[in-house]
Amino acid sequence: MAIVDPRTGQPLSSPETSGSGNQDTGASAEQVIVDVTLENFQQVVLEGSMQRPVVLQSWASWCEPCKNLKPVLEKLAKEYGGAFVLARLDIEAYPQIASQLGIRSVPDVKLIAQGQLYDQFQGALPESQVREWLGKYLEAPEGASQSPEEMAEAALADGDTATAQAIYQELIQQYPEHYDYQIDLAGVLVAADQVDDAKQLLDSLPPEHREAPKARGVRARIAFGEEAPTQAEIDALGERNDSEANFQRAMRQIADGRYEDGLEALLALLKTDRAYGDDAARKTLLRVFDALGADHPLTVTYRRRLFALLY
């Protein structure tokens, strides 16, 4: 799809053929965020996209999701240091441009390069997804700051559940319809031994999200946590290397969300003692596969290894 001049309706031609090749784009390396008007649309978006990509953000003052997306795009525009120009279009002030671009709802974000629409998305995506979207076309700058999701994961890995919880709670306020954040928060609550709160949060999700693989994974952690021995009981096993001890260790690993370690231990037990606990290792492997979901990389890998072992 070619991008057209909202005043003429004509597709943009290359600066070389239009005679404007030496014209300033209106956005220097320092000026990476520009408000679009009828007067500068040709210069900033159309001709500017011949020099470097333009991310065109359409918004409106009444649009709450737009307010959530705005600081994310501004942060990334500054972080990328001029690799793209963020052009902001107020569709209420300039409905002619919005109509010409076929914008039906906001927020609407388009990536324009060489006068062509390369990609677009609608809605207030979380920062991690916007980064992923940009990363398909532009190389991320060195030393890029962590996304909130990455900071939460790092805090959780360090055992700082309070920080991880605070980050996800803020993300939920910003993106109330991005239910993965609520599932992530439930996982943090499980790690913080607030299991009842985690169950209540999962139960409050819409049905399609309540039964999503990610939510089932958290529920599985809760179930395994209720079945698994405590860490003190694991420590009391000492150096025991019998089937019972190894199964109990695997259950604790799964309950702690260390799925790969737990799956590996169960597979090893299956190799050495298939009959243990009425085939408990195989049955537990299948439970973990169901919790993670059929498309999860660990499910794919360990289901294949289980099949090879059994057949």
Side-chain angles (χ1 to χ4, degrees):
M1 167 184 166
I3 301 298
V4 300
D5 187 322
R7 291 174 293 188
T8 66
Q10 297 300 311
L12 172 70
S13 58
S14 165
E16 286 73 18
T17 58
S18 66
S20 58
N22 296 323
Q23 190 170 355
D24 179 65
T25 64
S28 66
E30 294 77 22
Q31 191 180 9
V32 296
I33 303 173
V34 183
D35 289 318
V36 170
T37 67
L38 273 172
E39 289 69 31
N40 70 3
F41 184 87
Q42 169 85 22
Q43 187 179 32
V44 172
V45 178
L46 304 185
E47 295 166 8
S49 72
M50 294 296 182
Q51 310 302 321
R52 55 180 166 172
V54 174
V55 172
L56 178 61
Q57 171 201 7
S58 297
W59 64 281
S61 61
W62 45 261
C63 170
E64 288 300 321
C66 295
K67 297 175 184 177
N68 293 329
L69 185 61
K70 179 176 180 287
V72 171
L73 291 175
E74 290 176 352
K75 173 185 176 181
L76 293 174
K78 294 172 184 176
E79 187 176 294
Y80 271 73
F84 68 88
V85 171
L86 173 61
R88 301 184 301 197
L89 171 64
D90 181 350
I91 65 168
E92 291 178 296
Y94 302 102
Q96 312 96 312
I97 302 179
S99 175
Q100 190 67 54
L101 292 172
I103 295 170
R104 295 178 175 82
S105 64
V106 288
D108 179 285
V109 179
K110 303 182 187 298
L111 177 66
I112 302 165
Q114 297 296 307
Q116 299 290 320
L117 176 64
Y118 269 62
D119 203 352
Q120 60 186 325
F121 69 82
Q122 286 77 40
L125 297 185
E127 182 178 326
S128 60
Q129 292 185 24
V130 180
R131 284 182 181 275
E132 182 179 351
W133 181 74
L134 281 173
K136 293 189 294 184
Y137 306 99
L138 299 170
E139 184 176 352
E142 291 186 9
S145 61
Q146 287 185 312
S147 67
E149 297 91 331
E150 291 170 330
M151 289 189 287
E153 290 173 5
L156 190 58
D158 290 338
D160 186 0
T161 56
T163 295
Q165 185 173 337
I167 291 172
Y168 282 124
Q169 285 173 334
E170 183 174 346
L171 287 170
I172 289 168
Q173 287 185 339
Q174 292 180 336
Y175 308 102
E177 295 184 359
H178 188 71
Y179 293 103
D180 272 7
Y181 286 146
Q182 298 186 42
I183 299 172
D184 288 332
L185 177 57
V188 173
L189 292 172
V190 172
D193 292 326
Q194 301 177 42
V195 175
D196 289 341
D197 290 339
K199 288 180 179 179
Q200 184 177 356
L201 180 56
L202 291 172
D203 290 343
S204 71
L205 295 171
E208 63 273 21
H209 296 281
R210 196 181 309 150
E211 298 303 321
K214 192 172 185 178
R216 291 207 312 270
V218 178
R219 290 187 187 277
R221 283 180 59 191
I222 294 172
F224 280 116
E226 293 171 342
E227 298 173 29
T230 65
Q231 188 58 51
E233 291 171 325
I234 293 296
D235 294 340
L237 294 174
E239 300 299 321
R240 281 180 54 185
N241 194 33
D242 55 275
S243 297
E244 173 69 16
N246 290 332
F247 180 76
Q248 295 300 329
R249 291 189 186 100
M251 290 290 287
R252 185 69 255 166
Q253 289 167 333
I254 294 168
D256 291 339
R258 296 161 54 197
Y259 295 114
E260 187 166 9
D261 291 338
L263 289 169
E264 194 67 40
L266 290 169
L267 201 62
L269 176 58
L270 193 62
K271 291 178 183 178
T272 59
D273 190 359
R274 170 73 185 269
Y276 168 76
D278 191 23
D279 205 13
R282 184 187 65 84
K283 292 176 180 177
T284 305
L285 280 165
L286 296 179
R287 285 179 62 194
V288 179
F289 296 159
D290 180 65
L292 293 176
D295 296 330
H296 194 286
L298 288 176
T299 298
V300 174
T301 297
Y302 281 89
R303 191 186 293 278
R304 183 168 57 243
R305 291 179 60 184
L306 175 62
F307 183 86
L309 178 63
L310 296 179
Y311 304 102

